[in-house]
mmCIF file of all heavy atoms in Angstrom:
data_model
loop_
_atom_site.group_PDB
_atom_site.id
_atom_site.type_symbol
_atom_site.label_atom_id
_atom_site.label_comp_id
_atom_site.label_asym_id
_atom_site.label_seq_id
_atom_site.Cartn_x
_atom_site.Cartn_y
_atom_site.Cartn_z
ATOM 1 N N VAL A 3 97.927 1.203 -1.706
ATOM 2 C CA VAL A 3 97.194 -0.036 -1.459
ATOM 3 C C VAL A 3 96.676 -0.563 -2.789
ATOM 4 O O VAL A 3 96.084 0.187 -3.572
ATOM 5 C CB VAL A 3 96.026 0.218 -0.486
ATOM 6 C CG1 VAL A 3 95.189 -1.032 -0.323
ATOM 7 C CG2 VAL A 3 96.545 0.689 0.850
ATOM 8 N N LYS A 6 101.214 -3.416 -7.168
ATOM 9 C CA LYS A 6 101.969 -4.671 -7.206
ATOM 10 C C LYS A 6 102.932 -4.752 -6.027
ATOM 11 O O LYS A 6 103.058 -5.798 -5.380
ATOM 12 C CB LYS A 6 102.729 -4.788 -8.524
ATOM 13 C CG LYS A 6 103.526 -6.062 -8.637
ATOM 14 C CD LYS A 6 104.273 -6.151 -9.953
ATOM 15 C CE LYS A 6 105.134 -7.384 -9.983
ATOM 16 N NZ LYS A 6 105.891 -7.496 -11.224
ATOM 17 N N VAL A 10 103.295 -7.626 -3.043
ATOM 18 C CA VAL A 10 104.565 -8.294 -2.757
ATOM 19 C C VAL A 10 104.899 -8.153 -1.273
ATOM 20 O O VAL A 10 105.276 -9.120 -0.612
ATOM 21 C CB VAL A 10 105.700 -7.725 -3.643
ATOM 22 C CG1 VAL A 10 107.058 -8.222 -3.175
ATOM 23 C CG2 VAL A 10 105.471 -8.096 -5.104
ATOM 24 N N GLU A 11 104.737 -6.949 -0.740
ATOM 25 C CA GLU A 11 105.034 -6.703 0.677
ATOM 26 C C GLU A 11 104.143 -7.547 1.586
ATOM 27 O O GLU A 11 104.617 -8.155 2.549
ATOM 28 C CB GLU A 11 104.832 -5.216 0.976
ATOM 29 C CG GLU A 11 105.138 -4.823 2.394
ATOM 30 C CD GLU A 11 104.931 -3.343 2.618
ATOM 31 O OE1 GLU A 11 105.401 -2.542 1.778
ATOM 32 O OE2 GLU A 11 104.302 -2.990 3.627
ATOM 33 N N GLU A 15 105.115 -10.632 4.217
ATOM 34 C CA GLU A 15 104.719 -10.641 5.627
ATOM 35 C C GLU A 15 104.136 -12.005 6.014
ATOM 36 O O GLU A 15 104.253 -12.423 7.155
ATOM 37 C CB GLU A 15 103.686 -9.555 5.907
ATOM 38 C CG GLU A 15 104.254 -8.154 5.916
ATOM 39 C CD GLU A 15 103.198 -7.080 6.077
ATOM 40 O OE1 GLU A 15 102.010 -7.416 6.296
ATOM 41 O OE2 GLU A 15 103.560 -5.894 5.981
ATOM 42 N N VAL A 18 105.801 -15.674 2.222
ATOM 43 C CA VAL A 18 105.887 -16.167 0.846
ATOM 44 C C VAL A 18 106.920 -15.331 0.098
ATOM 45 O O VAL A 18 106.706 -14.158 -0.170
ATOM 46 C CB VAL A 18 104.518 -16.062 0.127
ATOM 47 C CG1 VAL A 18 104.635 -16.545 -1.306
ATOM 48 C CG2 VAL A 18 103.461 -16.846 0.879
ATOM 49 N N ASN A 19 108.071 -15.948 -0.208
ATOM 50 C CA ASN A 19 109.118 -15.258 -0.970
ATOM 51 C C ASN A 19 109.214 -15.772 -2.395
ATOM 52 O O ASN A 19 109.657 -15.056 -3.287
ATOM 53 C CB ASN A 19 110.468 -15.396 -0.275
ATOM 54 C CG ASN A 19 110.502 -14.654 1.039
ATOM 55 O OD1 ASN A 19 110.058 -13.523 1.122
ATOM 56 N ND2 ASN A 19 111.017 -15.304 2.065
ATOM 57 N N THR A 20 108.830 -17.033 -2.595
ATOM 58 C CA THR A 20 108.874 -17.631 -3.929
ATOM 59 C C THR A 20 107.592 -18.397 -4.195
ATOM 60 O O THR A 20 106.923 -18.865 -3.273
ATOM 61 C CB THR A 20 110.059 -18.595 -4.073
ATOM 62 O OG1 THR A 20 109.951 -19.623 -3.094
ATOM 63 C CG2 THR A 20 111.386 -17.882 -3.911
ATOM 64 N N ILE A 21 107.268 -18.522 -5.466
ATOM 65 C CA ILE A 21 106.146 -19.329 -5.934
ATOM 66 C C ILE A 21 106.703 -20.233 -7.012
ATOM 67 O O ILE A 21 107.193 -19.751 -8.031
ATOM 68 C CB ILE A 21 105.015 -18.469 -6.521
ATOM 69 C CG1 ILE A 21 104.552 -17.409 -5.515
ATOM 70 C CG2 ILE A 21 103.849 -19.342 -6.958
ATOM 71 C CD1 ILE A 21 103.657 -16.348 -6.115
ATOM 72 N N GLY A 23 109.459 -21.766 -7.173
ATOM 73 C CA GLY A 23 110.865 -21.511 -7.436
ATOM 74 C C GLY A 23 111.190 -20.160 -8.036
ATOM 75 O O GLY A 23 112.351 -19.843 -8.269
ATOM 76 N N ARG A 24 110.178 -19.329 -8.289
ATOM 77 C CA ARG A 24 110.413 -17.988 -8.840
ATOM 78 C C ARG A 24 110.056 -16.949 -7.788
ATOM 79 O O ARG A 24 109.096 -17.111 -7.048
ATOM 80 C CB ARG A 24 109.546 -17.756 -10.081
ATOM 81 C CG ARG A 24 109.943 -18.614 -11.257
ATOM 82 C CD ARG A 24 108.983 -18.471 -12.422
ATOM 83 N NE ARG A 24 108.885 -17.102 -12.876
ATOM 84 C CZ ARG A 24 107.891 -16.654 -13.648
ATOM 85 N NH1 ARG A 24 106.916 -17.465 -14.021
ATOM 86 N NH2 ARG A 24 107.850 -15.402 -14.032
ATOM 87 N N ALA A 35 97.456 -11.042 -6.280
ATOM 88 C CA ALA A 35 96.211 -10.732 -5.568
ATOM 89 C C ALA A 35 95.461 -12.006 -5.222
ATOM 90 O O ALA A 35 94.945 -12.147 -4.103
ATOM 91 C CB ALA A 35 95.343 -9.817 -6.424
ATOM 92 N N ASN A 36 95.394 -12.944 -6.156
ATOM 93 C CA ASN A 36 94.700 -14.214 -5.894
ATOM 94 C C ASN A 36 95.415 -15.018 -4.824
ATOM 95 O O ASN A 36 94.766 -15.615 -3.951
ATOM 96 C CB ASN A 36 94.589 -15.030 -7.182
ATOM 97 C CG ASN A 36 93.645 -14.418 -8.175
ATOM 98 O OD1 ASN A 36 92.766 -13.648 -7.816
ATOM 99 N ND2 ASN A 36 93.833 -14.752 -9.441
ATOM 100 N N LEU A 37 96.730 -15.046 -4.857
ATOM 101 C CA LEU A 37 97.489 -15.778 -3.846
ATOM 102 C C LEU A 37 97.313 -15.172 -2.459
ATOM 103 O O LEU A 37 97.137 -15.874 -1.472
ATOM 104 C CB LEU A 37 98.965 -15.828 -4.224
ATOM 105 C CG LEU A 37 99.860 -16.638 -3.296
ATOM 106 C CD1 LEU A 37 99.438 -18.103 -3.285
ATOM 107 C CD2 LEU A 37 101.310 -16.515 -3.707
ATOM 108 N N GLU A 40 94.021 -16.143 -0.991
ATOM 109 C CA GLU A 40 94.061 -17.514 -0.464
ATOM 110 C C GLU A 40 94.747 -17.553 0.896
ATOM 111 O O GLU A 40 94.308 -18.256 1.794
ATOM 112 C CB GLU A 40 94.808 -18.441 -1.424
ATOM 113 C CG GLU A 40 94.075 -18.749 -2.698
ATOM 114 C CD GLU A 40 94.907 -19.595 -3.644
ATOM 115 O OE1 GLU A 40 95.962 -20.122 -3.218
ATOM 116 O OE2 GLU A 40 94.510 -19.736 -4.810
ATOM 117 N N LYS A 41 95.833 -16.797 1.051
ATOM 118 C CA LYS A 41 96.599 -16.797 2.301
ATOM 119 C C LYS A 41 95.808 -16.181 3.454
ATOM 120 O O LYS A 41 95.968 -16.563 4.603
ATOM 121 C CB LYS A 41 97.925 -16.070 2.144
ATOM 122 C CG LYS A 41 98.903 -16.777 1.254
ATOM 123 C CD LYS A 41 99.402 -18.037 1.910
ATOM 124 C CE LYS A 41 100.404 -18.740 1.042
ATOM 125 N NZ LYS A 41 100.838 -19.991 1.624
ATOM 126 N N GLU A 42 94.973 -15.199 3.149
ATOM 127 C CA GLU A 42 94.243 -14.498 4.198
ATOM 128 C C GLU A 42 92.973 -15.214 4.608
ATOM 129 O O GLU A 42 92.369 -14.867 5.601
ATOM 130 C CB GLU A 42 93.952 -13.066 3.769
ATOM 131 C CG GLU A 42 95.207 -12.217 3.730
ATOM 132 C CD GLU A 42 94.953 -10.782 3.393
ATOM 133 O OE1 GLU A 42 93.877 -10.464 2.850
ATOM 134 O OE2 GLU A 42 95.842 -9.962 3.669
#
Side-chain angles (χ1 to χ4, degrees):
V3 175
K6 180 180 176 181
V10 169
E11 181 179 314
E15 287 175 6
V18 179
N19 293 315
T20 59
I21 305 168
R24 292 174 58 197
N36 291 337
L37 184 62
E40 289 176 12
K41 292 290 181 183
E42 290 183 342

